[in-house]
Amino acid sequence: MGDAASGRGHVVYPPRSAEDIFKDYRARRSAILRALTHDVEDFYAQCDPDKENLCLYGYANEAWEVALPAEEVPTELPEPALGINFARDGMNRRDWLALVAVHSDSWLLSVAFYYAARLNRNDRKRLFGMINELQTVFEVVSGARQQQSKERSSMDNGGRSKPAKIENNGKDTDEAYGEDDSDHGETLCGTCGGIYSADEFWIGCDMCERWYHGKCVKITPAKAESIKHYKCPSCSSKRARQ
């Protein structure tokens, strides 16, 4: 099944701290998000209803795979929803993707708290707090659909908004327009885990230096121009608690 399969059910050193479990969760989530957004055409094609029960796996190496469920009983890790391919042609496509997203959220949490079973109460609470700072897969997939709808509407009206992003090193917005994707090719949104694209507006936090989609933190290009030092929601909440 290629390199993607190497991440499945083959955890030699399972994560044991809340931070390591969160990193595992975030990587698996990024893989699922890629399947349901950037690679959605490939994912859709692989979910052939004529095949046997199929599952969507997200791995710690951020690869995803549509595959048959594990044969061993009991399985080494909780298994994702079984038979996602069977409903593909019987539902509206966006509704089917939303259903897969909801089941994927459930699976991601089950894997995270499988690893977290040996944590104490405070560490489990801290883990859930970190997870809860991120959007669910369902929220991201739904938001992506809304954004695509807005873009299509803009194109239909004969106009297109200019892509923008705000650097946290003091560059003006107009200077940032010309930057190349290669400078941020590995940058992930601190909220949704999406990969950087020059076609979208991004903003960087001056405190933690993480990057965010403007839409994920409710900052528009116009609003960003009036912000001298941007603090993301996470840093703002930490400041308030101190």
Side-chain angles (χ1 to χ4, degrees):
M1 295 182 183
D3 292 339
S6 64
R8 174 183 175 190
H10 193 62
V11 181
V12 179
Y13 301 106
R16 299 192 181 280
S17 69
E19 288 74 18
D20 286 344
I21 294 171
F22 175 66
K23 289 177 183 177
D24 181 87
Y25 170 90
R26 188 169 55 188
R28 293 175 187 274
R29 174 179 169 277
S30 294
I32 297 292
L33 283 173
R34 183 186 294 273
L36 297 181
T37 55
H38 186 273
D39 298 343
V40 67
E41 296 302 330
D42 185 19
F43 168 69
Y44 188 86
Q46 290 190 38
C47 291
D48 186 347
D50 292 331
K51 294 182 179 179
E52 296 184 43
N53 292 310
L54 295 176
C55 303
L56 172 59
Y57 292 89
Y59 300 130
N61 61 3
E62 299 190 14
W64 62 269
E65 180 185 24
V66 173
L68 294 171
E71 295 181 0
E72 64 267 27
V73 177
T75 57
E76 185 173 350
L77 289 175
E79 284 287 291
L82 181 66
I84 57 172
N85 52 313
F86 293 152
R88 192 195 73 175
D89 292 348
M91 297 178 65
N92 175 285
R93 174 166 167 158
R94 66 180 184 180
D95 292 338
W96 175 73
L97 289 172
L99 178 65
V100 175
V102 169
H103 280 295
S104 296
D105 281 319
S106 176
W107 175 68
L108 289 168
L109 284 174
S110 69
V111 172
F113 280 85
Y114 171 85
Y115 286 136
R118 294 177 177 82
L119 296 181
N120 62 39
R121 177 181 178 182
N122 289 336
D123 284 343
R124 288 197 304 272
K125 183 177 181 179
R126 187 156 51 87
L127 172 62
F128 184 76
M130 290 188 286
I131 290 174
N132 210 34
E133 286 291 322
L134 301 176
Q135 287 184 301
T136 65
V137 174
F138 173 74
E139 287 172 335
V140 176
V141 170
S142 300
R145 291 204 309 271
Q146 293 168 4
Q147 179 65 21
Q148 289 166 1
S149 177
K150 290 179 182 177
E151 290 175 354
R152 282 196 297 269
S153 176
S154 177
M155 292 296 289
D156 290 342
N157 293 331
R160 182 172 180 176
S161 59
K162 188 175 182 181
K165 63 188 181 68
I166 301 297
E167 292 283 6
N168 61 356
N169 58 6
K171 288 185 181 179
D172 292 335
T173 303
D174 290 340
E175 290 178 332
Y177 287 154
E179 295 203 358
D180 192 88
D181 267 6
S182 60
D183 294 337
H184 297 271
E186 299 302 319
T187 300
L188 299 179
C189 175
T191 297
C192 73
I195 299 175
Y196 172 79
S197 169
D199 293 331
E200 299 175 297
F201 171 73
W202 285 64
I203 187 166
C205 175
D206 288 301
M207 301 293 290
C208 65
E209 298 187 349
R210 289 180 180 149
W211 285 83
Y212 300 85
H213 287 111
K215 62 186 179 184
C216 289
V217 291
K218 296 181 173 59
I219 299 292
T220 64
K223 186 175 181 180
E225 290 180 0
S226 64
I227 300 175
K228 291 184 178 180
H229 299 287
Y230 175 68
K231 287 191 294 184
C232 67
S234 178
C235 289
S236 296
S237 64
K238 289 178 182 176
R239 186 96 178 179
R241 289 194 296 267
Q242 291 177 349

